[in-house]
Amino acid sequence: MAYITQYQYYENGGQQPENANWGSYQYVSLEDIVNNFMLMYSGNHSLVNNEERYKILFHAKRAIQELNYDAFKEIKILELNVCDTLRYVLPSDYVNWVRVSLYQNGLLKPLTENIQTNWSSAYLQDNDCRILFDIDGNALSPQNSTIDYERIRGGKQSIYLNQNSKMYGKSGYCVDGAWYFEYGIGARYGLNTETANANPTFKIDPKGGVINFSSGVANELIILEYVSDGMENGNDSLVTVNKLFEEYVYAAVEFAILNSKVGVQEYIIARAKKRKAALLRNAKIRISNIHPGRLLMNMRGRDKWIK
Amino acid sequence: MINSVRQTVMSVLNKNNYGYISPSDFNLFAKQAQLDLFENYFYQYNYQLQKENARQSGTGYADITKGIEEVINTFSETRFLQHQYQNRFFTPSESTTGDNYYLLNKVLIYSKLLASGTNDALQIQSLIDSTATFIASGVQVGDIVVNLSSNPPAVGYVSVVVSDTELTLVDYDGNPFDSFINPQMQYLIYSTKPVKEAEKVTNSKITMLNNSILTAPTLMFPAYSHQEPTITLLPDTINQLGAVQCQYIRFPRPPRWTYVTLPGGEPAFDQTAADYQDFELPKDDEVNLVNKILQYAGMSIREVSSVQFAQAQETANTTTER
């Protein structure tokens, strides 16, 4: 992409949206990457020769996807209101989650993932537990499984955590923010610390494309921090890479092609692999932005007493 | 050069009055010889590249590759491809671009349509549309103007943006472009930026490529497949004349040694004839042309010694040049 004027940068040349070019100088476009690679790393006198452009494009995109998964620190954030279904539909470009938080009373409360499942699919069964089928031979399913139904209507027990209450640590039912307890008989042994949290918990159903929450989230705002693959819903003109990773992408493409090409000597492949790994390390260190000014605040906390 | 070649060939063949080849035979052999040498340039080019990669080639005056590229470039043409239908365009040919192609080197795509409409006034070398807003639409000098109503449809360029409603036009070679000779002729104007290069994809891969999520052709990375006499562009929104330009290497034009017949029956060279055509290869190929034509002519008159002589000369020449 050609350099743009200050007017284009700050005000998008008078067009809308005004902020279209803000921060754009940090990035290099996918088109530039493919073009530069074809010019500089491919040709009669280069290691990569007689390769189709679509292969370069493919490997460049794959490299960008991999960078998006862990190396880039570019978290996307989406706020959605969760209704009575206690369900948050995953964003269209969702690949993996970083943090799920409840935004309540002006506070952001990070939620913990419940490693025990809180959702399930189900089939309809008759009295003999035989599965019921439709005329096409497909099993019939209810709208909600029992576990889903109980979770949504608040009928599923969880542990009440409030040290000031005599019910602290007891299993109860949270319905519309109010807690109900069964009369306990006998002693209580142990506490499942994995699920013991005053805040609601969640479990992600990746194939179903939703996050299922425990009760207490209905009509609340949930903020999902997640990573995408950087493919911008297939719009190649929007795909960009931070310039700190530009050289890495070239190295990754070169390695991917040499590694899959017949007749390339092993030492050349090893060299390309080493270069790729070294450039990734360098780029990660650079983007970590470790410098004294930034460390200062962390160092100040070293003598703080942990209560 | 053609007369010099013919004289040399005749001189070698005519020893002891053995042989004579007629002008029409000479023209046939000359065409054959030129094609042989023309095609050989591409193999030489490849050979020289291999030598470069083996570090056996020099730079400056020793840069043989550069010389070969220059010869090949004399056959390079850049033309807009005629539209067939939908996203198909005719490959270069005598009937569409005026030349048969040897290879398609590059297919360029112009996708930014700035303006379209019909002209409503006539003026030499101009496009006038009183309803147009050429300046506001961003039309600039150098932009591509297509006349869809001419037969065949023609393509020119903007040389001057006279006003919001009037443009002055030239053709590819900079000559006046007088295509809008009637009112109500339909036009399109494409911007020369952005221009993208379409990639050739084999017929065995193009369907899979088109189905691929990551690499399906887009206007940023267009592609084409080839099935004579057309190429099919992808994405299929590339579907109008003026959107596809091709840089290709054409075949050399068949040489023609033209003549007038003198009273004695002897043909005399006449380069003023309408169908006169000299060799298009560079002058340093004269020796090779003579050798090639001698081989064909020697075979024609059953003169083995002239064939052997020419072959020996050619081999010696090739060895020296390597």
Side-chain angles (χ1 to χ4, degrees):
Chain A
M1 190 174 69
Y3 294 140
I4 55 177
T5 63
Q6 301 280 50
Y7 179 54
Q8 282 175 316
Y9 178 79
Y10 286 108
E11 299 191 7
N12 195 18
Q15 307 287 314
Q16 289 296 325
E18 187 186 53
N19 62 359
N21 296 318
W22 293 357
S24 59
Y25 198 71
Q26 298 167 85
Y27 299 96
V28 57
S29 69
L30 175 68
E31 185 182 15
D32 275 347
I33 283 178
V34 174
N35 210 29
N36 291 344
F37 189 91
M38 294 298 287
L39 268 175
M40 305 299 170
Y41 294 91
S42 168
N44 287 326
H45 304 113
S46 304
L47 286 174
V48 176
N49 191 15
N50 288 338
E51 284 296 341
E52 291 89 351
R53 185 181 61 193
Y54 63 77
K55 286 191 182 173
I56 311 297
L57 176 64
F58 173 77
H59 291 303
K61 282 189 168 182
R62 285 292 303 115
I64 294 170
Q65 284 179 322
E66 291 297 327
L67 289 175
N68 270 275
Y69 299 149
D70 55 8
F72 287 163
K73 297 190 164 186
E74 292 177 16
I75 306 294
K76 292 193 165 192
I77 306 172
L78 181 67
E79 171 196 287
L80 280 182
N81 200 0
V82 173
C83 292
D84 294 339
T85 52
L86 301 179
R87 202 175 61 189
Y88 180 112
V89 179
L90 296 173
S92 58
D93 54 350
Y94 170 90
V95 171
N96 200 6
W97 66 282
V98 175
R99 188 161 45 192
V100 180
S101 308
L102 170 68
Y103 188 68
Q104 202 176 42
N105 303 324
L107 288 174
L108 200 59
K109 302 174 179 175
L111 304 182
T112 52
E113 185 185 19
N114 187 348
I115 63 157
Q116 296 171 349
T117 189
N118 67 359
W119 62 273
S120 169
S121 54
Y123 296 135
L124 291 178
Q125 291 170 288
D126 65 11
N127 290 336
D128 298 326
C129 295
R130 295 171 66 86
I131 294 172
L132 303 177
F133 299 93
D134 63 14
I135 54 172
D136 298 322
N138 299 317
L140 294 169
S141 295
Q143 187 179 358
N144 290 308
S145 64
T146 308
I147 189 170
D148 275 328
Y149 180 71
E150 291 197 345
R151 176 174 55 83
I152 291 166
R153 76 176 179 89
K156 194 166 181 298
Q157 287 192 57
S158 57
I159 293 165
Y160 181 66
L161 295 173
N162 181 356
Q163 284 183 323
N164 298 324
S165 166
K166 63 178 183 180
M167 305 308 288
Y168 175 67
K170 299 241 186 301
S171 291
Y173 300 90
C174 179
V175 180
D176 297 334
W179 281 84
Y180 302 88
F181 299 93
E182 289 174 352
Y183 182 70
I185 299 173
R188 179 174 176 78
Y189 298 98
L191 173 71
N192 187 353
T193 52
E194 286 170 337
T195 55
N197 192 299
N199 292 322
T201 57
F202 67 91
K203 180 82 179 169
I204 296 180
D205 174 9
K207 283 280 182 190
V210 293
I211 305 174
N212 291 307
F213 290 92
S214 61
S215 55
V217 175
N219 301 313
E220 297 284 356
L221 280 178
I222 290 292
I223 293 175
L224 170 67
E225 293 163 71
Y226 66 100
V227 286
S228 184
D229 65 352
M231 291 295 105
E232 306 295 342
N233 281 326
N235 187 347
D236 287 350
S237 63
L238 298 178
V239 178
T240 55
V241 183
N242 191 299
K243 282 177 178 167
L244 300 177
F245 287 91
E246 184 179 353
E247 198 59 33
Y248 163 76
V249 176
Y250 298 139
V253 173
E254 190 176 51
F255 167 71
I257 287 176
L258 292 173
N259 194 36
S260 60
K261 201 166 184 165
V262 71
V264 180
Q265 295 93 330
E266 204 55 41
Y267 71 90
I268 289 179
I269 298 172
R271 193 171 77 199
K273 190 176 185 180
K274 206 181 239 180
R275 181 166 169 264
K276 173 188 150 184
L279 284 168
L280 181 60
R281 268 196 306 277
N282 278 355
K284 277 184 172 178
I285 291 168
R286 280 181 183 167
I287 209 160
S288 296
N289 232 0
I290 300 169
H291 54 79
R294 213 168 172 195
L295 284 173
L296 190 62
M297 292 308 287
N298 301 63
M299 298 298 281
R300 277 178 179 155
R302 67 187 165 172
D303 296 327
K304 188 178 185 316
W305 281 42
I306 310 288
K307 292 177 184 174
Chain B
M1 182 164 76
I2 193 167
N3 194 40
S4 164
V5 170
R6 179 172 158 84
Q7 282 176 343
T8 312
V9 168
M10 297 301 279
S11 169
V12 175
L13 284 179
N14 267 339
K15 193 185 174 199
N16 302 328
N17 289 328
Y18 269 0
Y20 171 81
I21 53 170
S22 65
S24 62
D25 278 353
F26 173 80
N27 285 339
L28 286 175
F29 300 150
K31 179 186 174 187
Q32 199 74 6
Q34 182 170 248
L35 280 175
D36 266 0
L37 293 177
F38 168 74
E39 194 166 30
N40 193 36
Y41 267 104
F42 295 87
Y43 292 101
Q44 275 189 52
Y45 184 63
N46 190 44
Y47 176 74
Q48 288 301 329
L49 287 178
Q50 286 175 4
K51 285 191 80 169
E52 280 183 10
N53 285 335
R55 304 193 64 78
Q56 292 174 352
S57 183
T59 57
Y61 292 124
D63 193 346
I64 309 296
T65 317
K66 193 177 169 190
I68 297 172
E69 275 174 0
E70 282 172 4
V71 175
I72 293 174
N73 282 340
T74 59
F75 298 97
S76 169
E77 299 284 348
T78 303
R79 295 279 182 270
F80 283 92
L81 296 185
Q82 291 291 341
H83 183 221
Q84 189 196 33
Y85 71 97
Q86 292 175 349
N87 53 339
R88 288 189 188 177
F89 291 79
F90 286 108
T91 51
S93 65
E94 293 259 349
S95 58
T96 59
T97 56
D99 294 297
N100 287 318
Y101 74 94
Y102 176 74
L103 66 84
L104 302 176
N105 190 44
K106 199 162 65 172
V107 173
L108 300 174
I109 306 299
Y110 299 97
S111 56
K112 190 174 178 185
L113 185 66
L114 295 173
S116 62
T118 53
N119 69 324
D120 51 14
L122 301 179
Q123 189 173 307
I124 293 171
Q125 204 190 333
S126 296
L127 166 61
I128 301 173
D129 178 1
S130 60
T131 62
T133 53
F134 292 136
I135 295 172
S137 303
V139 176
Q140 293 181 337
V141 172
D143 285 342
I144 301 154
V145 179
V146 183
N147 184 345
L148 291 172
S149 302
S150 64
N151 189 18
V155 182
Y157 296 88
V158 177
S159 65
V160 181
V161 181
V162 179
S163 68
D164 238 351
T165 58
E166 183 181 341
L167 303 171
T168 307
L169 310 175
V170 290
D171 67 11
Y172 182 75
D173 300 317
N175 302 316
F177 181 70
D178 258 333
S179 182
F180 293 92
I181 51 174
N182 298 312
Q184 297 301 309
M185 295 187 104
Q186 207 183 345
Y187 70 85
L188 303 170
I189 301 176
Y190 282 97
S191 172
T192 48
K193 290 177 187 170
V195 55
K196 308 289 179 190
E197 190 173 337
E199 182 182 31
K200 184 178 181 179
V201 179
T202 60
N203 286 314
S204 55
K205 293 270 187 186
I206 191 77
T207 314
M208 284 182 279
L209 184 76
N210 210 22
N211 287 334
S212 156
I213 288 176
L214 282 185
T215 59
T218 59
L219 285 177
M220 185 177 282
F221 300 109
Y224 73 91
S225 60
H226 182 195
Q227 188 172 316
E228 275 294 308
T230 59
I231 59 172
T232 305
L233 270 299
L234 289 169
D236 56 13
T237 49
I238 304 168
N239 55 14
Q240 278 189 310
L241 178 70
V244 182
Q245 193 181 42
C246 181
Q247 186 254 323
Y248 60 95
I249 303 298
R250 64 171 173 80
F251 277 107
R253 298 185 182 96
R256 288 192 69 80
W257 186 85
T258 47
Y259 61 97
V260 288
T261 309
L262 295 178
E266 184 73 12
F269 181 52
D270 173 22
Q271 65 175 4
T272 61
D275 57 345
Y276 165 73
Q277 177 64 55
D278 201 354
F279 287 110
E280 290 192 289
L281 293 173
K283 279 197 182 306
D284 59 331
D285 266 326
E286 186 168 335
V287 178
N288 299 324
L289 283 167
V290 168
N291 286 332
K292 282 277 176 202
I293 295 170
L294 268 178
Q295 287 175 42
Y296 291 119
M299 280 305 296
S300 172
I301 61 173
R302 301 287 188 271
E303 181 58 53
V304 179
S305 58
S306 72
V307 176
Q308 286 170 340
F309 167 73
Q311 280 176 338
Q313 285 293 308
E314 193 182 1
T315 309
N317 206 8
T318 310
T319 311
T320 313
E321 284 179 3
R322 285 185 174 179

